[in-house]
Amino acid sequence: MNKKDIIRLIRIINSEHQSYWQEKSSEMKKYRDVYETKFWRSLDYDASMIRVETPDAYSYIESYIASLFTRAPAVVIGKDVAATSGEPANPQAAQAIANRWLFRKREQIENASRLALIYDFSALKLIPQTSASMLDKAEVVAVPPWEVIVDRDAGSPLQQRFIGHTYFLTVDDAKARFGDKQFTAIPKLDYFDKYGPSNAMPRYEGQARQSIDDLPDSYLYIQIVELYDLVADEVYFWTPQWKNGEELLQKAEIPLRTSDNRPLPPIQTLYYSRIPDSPMEGISAMGRVYDQFCEKNILRTYWANSVRRDSRQYIYKEGTMDEESLAKITAGVDGAMIAVDNDTLDGVIREVGVTPISSNFDRYSNYIEADINRGSVVQTFAGEPTKASATEITAIASYAASEMGKLARERDSVIEKITECYLRFIYLLAEEGDKAVVEAGGKAVIVTPSDIDSQFKIVALDQGSQPLADALKKQNLVALLPTLQSLGVPSALLLEEVVRAYELPKTFIDAALQAAQNAPAEGGAVRAPTSAAAERLEAGPREQINSAAQVANRL
């Protein structure tokens, strides 16, 4: 394509993207407000009304995050037997490099997951950063969905014809990246502001234009569209704030490449749920239960206002008491004598009846709670007693683990992709002679760029699961120990698995090996460490094992 065709393509793609998210802006704002416990912020209401809202939306999202990220993200890297570009030089070093980086970027990966749950989807993007270390030249940032340009006609991320990112860049940074150009600066606009990024940029003229021009470049912005054309294998940088958008800021071949020289965009999308017939359009987890949160906040607000109107009121027969007598009644002084000008006391003062709130409200509240719980399997284990049997709890936990497993697979997929991008990114940015020292296999290893210039098989570790499901796995492991021992599995291997499952100190393994070496010989041979463990395991199935320390001692 020539330059005009490219600019026309960028304008069409960007316009369609902005229009799409303009239509969804009010919906996204509702989700953000209810998550931030500011449900009433964007709604019209009577200022005299007492407003109440519950933090259920926050706990709904954070319960997912707590289950998906019980530990830091990590990967296992090995040789790819189908590699066509040579054998990996050092997959262990590549794994150590990747896990070191992922451990430091947990916050951004968690934030991307949070965005993907609150809104339709999110993305992780790698950007270069200045660093003296070869391993720290790449930074990852979580990107909200309205900034990510995706090919919504594609059947999967791998079938996309393009992917991009639209964002604001300071004039200082723009000049540093694209040269000293004359940009028409604009103030930075937030997606949820009155105008929003979806609407056309407002024109600033006269005094408003002058006040903006008086600001330093570090406080002025331009809007950048960074588009990766995966068909033409090119990346375009364009802004409407330079030459009215009639010129490209930059055009180049996509610099990030896979080991077999395929284009690799540094933007990886994260979907936890998709529209089946349009896989590049996500479904918000918050959107599934937003109506229930809305109803609960309205109901609690109605209750709060009703309770405040639930007061004791009285009527009295006019002329039977003067102002002084009424004041004594209102004051409630003990032993006060009050004069009444009436033949009888009947009917002088009567209490105004208050009708209690209908029990239908309680039933409706229970229905709302049930709907919220049905919207998430995680809510089943929110800490409330369920009065369920052990069998029912086990079945529910298995179901919850499978549902969380589905989300974990999506999370693991983006971790694997961003790890591949990171390894290729630092290889691309590495300079001649760059080296780094990492710990691999308990030893310090010197890594050079050539060590990571290969095709790897990257698999994310399953670090997120339900706490209850973890407890069931540990119980099952303990129950299987006698059976595994009787089948001839060495106790050393069983001890290693128990130490891993219960996260015990590795010194337990070293101590067991040392004890085996120091054990007295039987028949001229040193007794294997499995014998005593086997005897204790065979004698112990009837005893309840309740702690990790007891398991280690038994072994």
Side-chain angles (χ1 to χ4, degrees):
M1 292 188 295
N2 57 37
K3 183 182 68 176
K4 289 185 177 180
D5 291 336
I6 293 174
I7 293 175
R8 186 182 301 110
L9 174 66
I10 295 173
R11 286 185 182 275
I12 292 173
I13 292 175
N14 184 56
S15 176
E16 194 275 337
H17 168 79
Q18 302 290 357
S19 298
Y20 177 84
W21 286 104
Q22 179 182 4
E23 295 177 1
K24 297 180 73 71
S25 60
S26 60
E27 181 183 350
M28 298 298 106
K29 192 175 189 304
K30 291 192 302 183
Y31 299 161
R32 184 194 67 167
D33 289 346
V34 73
Y35 171 79
E36 294 179 356
T37 323
K38 297 179 179 178
F39 170 76
W40 299 98
R41 177 168 56 185
S42 57
L43 299 179
D44 294 329
Y45 55 85
D46 185 356
S48 63
M49 180 182 68
I50 297 170
R51 301 176 304 280
V52 178
E53 60 181 295
T54 64
D56 292 80
Y58 173 81
S59 61
Y60 175 78
I61 296 297
E62 293 306 315
S63 62
Y64 279 113
I65 297 298
S67 297
L68 288 170
F69 294 93
T70 56
R71 302 170 188 165
V75 295
V76 175
I77 297 180
K79 297 180 180 180
D80 189 349
V81 295
T84 58
S85 56
E87 291 296 327
N90 197 340
Q92 292 79 15
Q95 177 177 318
I97 291 171
N99 288 335
R100 170 188 176 273
W101 182 76
L102 287 172
F103 181 80
R104 299 184 177 190
K105 308 306 175 185
R106 171 174 176 167
E107 181 180 356
Q108 290 295 327
I109 298 174
E110 282 190 17
N111 197 35
S113 288
R114 192 172 285 108
L115 289 170
L117 291 168
I118 298 174
Y119 308 114
D120 292 358
F121 70 96
S122 68
L124 287 168
K125 181 185 179 184
L126 280 174
I127 58 174
Q129 70 174 2
T130 304
S131 175
S133 172
M134 178 185 78
L135 306 181
D136 296 327
K137 292 184 177 180
E139 180 61 84
V140 65
V141 293
V143 184
W146 50 84
E147 292 185 5
V148 184
I149 301 174
V150 296
D151 183 3
R152 282 188 291 275
D153 293 334
S156 71
L158 295 177
Q159 297 176 4
Q160 290 186 105
R161 295 161 295 181
F162 57 83
I163 188 170
H165 183 203
T166 174
Y167 54 94
F168 286 91
L169 192 66
T170 64
V171 173
D172 265 350
D173 291 339
K175 289 182 177 180
R177 289 180 60 179
F178 305 113
D180 190 12
K181 295 179 171 59
Q182 296 299 318
F183 296 107
T184 305
I186 60 172
K188 185 177 181 179
L189 299 176
D190 185 78
Y191 176 65
F192 297 109
D193 284 344
K194 180 179 180 180
Y195 294 102
S198 307
N199 295 354
M201 292 301 170
R203 295 181 179 273
Y204 294 93
E205 299 176 353
Q207 186 176 357
R209 177 76 263 171
Q210 182 63 39
S211 62
I212 292 176
D213 291 338
D214 290 340
L215 293 173
D217 287 349
S218 56
Y219 291 89
L220 296 174
Y221 294 86
I222 62 172
Q223 188 183 27
I224 297 289
V225 175
E226 179 180 337
L227 187 68
Y228 292 84
D229 188 340
L230 302 178
V231 176
D233 193 7
E234 292 181 326
V235 56
Y236 313 122
F237 292 87
W238 174 83
T239 178
Q241 280 78 52
W242 182 59
K243 293 187 176 180
N244 294 323
E246 298 299 328
E247 294 286 342
L248 289 172
L249 287 174
Q250 194 177 84
K251 170 188 171 184
E253 182 185 46
I254 297 177
L256 199 60
R257 322 292 296 184
T258 62
S259 57
D260 54 356
N261 201 35
R262 291 181 289 109
L264 182 64
I267 304 171
Q268 299 298 330
T269 53
L270 172 58
Y271 293 82
Y272 279 126
S273 185
R274 305 170 187 266
I275 297 177
D277 56 353
S278 184
M280 296 308 296
E281 294 187 62
I283 300 175
S284 166
M286 180 72 80
R288 290 194 186 97
V289 288
Y290 176 81
D291 286 347
Q292 281 68 43
F293 295 141
C294 178
E295 285 296 298
K296 188 171 184 179
N297 289 333
I298 293 174
L299 182 61
R300 294 293 292 271
T301 297
Y302 175 80
W303 279 353
N305 286 273
S306 298
V307 166
R308 282 158 178 79
R309 290 193 294 268
D310 189 1
S311 59
R312 293 179 297 173
Q313 295 178 332
Y314 303 88
I315 57 177
Y316 70 97
K317 186 176 181 181
E318 187 175 5
T320 57
M321 290 181 288
D322 55 17
E323 295 295 332
E324 183 179 355
S325 297
L326 288 175
K328 289 181 180 181
I329 294 176
T330 305
V333 178
D334 184 36
M337 302 296 293
I338 303 170
V340 177
D341 185 12
N342 200 45
D343 296 337
T344 176
L345 294 179
D346 293 337
V348 174
I349 296 180
R350 181 172 296 176
E351 182 180 3
V352 177
V354 178
T355 304
I357 297 177
S358 170
S359 60
N360 289 335
F361 287 99
D362 290 324
R363 296 175 58 191
Y364 186 49
S365 178
N366 293 334
Y367 286 135
I368 293 174
E369 290 290 349
D371 290 341
I372 292 175
N373 291 334
R374 280 196 292 269
S376 168
V377 295
V378 184
Q379 296 294 311
T380 306
F381 308 109
E384 299 178 0
T386 58
K387 298 181 181 180
S389 65
T391 304
E392 291 171 331
I393 287 292
T394 302
I396 294 173
S398 301
Y399 174 66
S402 65
E403 287 293 313
M404 290 307 303
K406 180 176 74 69
L407 300 182
R409 285 194 296 272
E410 298 292 341
R411 174 211 59 199
D412 290 346
S413 176
V414 76
I415 289 176
E416 293 163 3
K417 293 174 183 175
I418 206 67
T419 299
E420 179 186 8
C421 289
Y422 166 70
L423 293 175
R424 301 306 303 170
F425 206 92
I426 60 175
Y427 172 75
L428 174 68
L429 297 180
E431 300 176 358
E432 185 177 356
D434 275 355
K435 296 180 180 179
V437 179
V438 296
E439 181 182 354
K443 299 180 180 179
V445 178
I446 299 177
V447 181
T448 62
S450 59
D451 291 331
I452 56 177
D453 182 23
S454 186
Q455 187 170 339
F456 296 106
K457 182 178 181 180
I458 303 174
V459 179
L461 291 176
D462 185 11
Q463 300 285 6
S465 59
Q466 282 284 344
L468 184 56
D470 283 345
L472 290 173
K473 290 178 183 178
K474 293 174 183 178
Q475 292 178 10
N476 292 336
L477 173 62
V478 172
L480 285 172
L481 287 178
T483 303
L484 296 174
Q485 187 72 42
S486 65
L487 292 175
V489 179
S491 290
L493 295 180
L494 295 177
L495 176 59
E496 183 178 351
E497 179 61 21
V498 169
V499 168
R500 184 202 64 79
Y502 283 88
E503 299 183 4
L504 297 171
K506 292 184 179 180
T507 53
F508 283 21
I509 300 176
D510 298 335
L513 294 176
Q514 185 66 29
Q517 293 174 359
N518 296 334
E522 294 182 0
V526 177
R527 189 179 66 175
T530 59
S531 302
E535 295 173 1
R536 288 193 293 270
L537 286 171
E538 291 173 0
R542 295 181 300 274
E543 180 183 347
Q544 180 66 31
I545 299 176
N546 297 320
S547 68
Q550 291 178 358
V551 174
N553 291 333
R554 293 283 297 277
L555 288 172

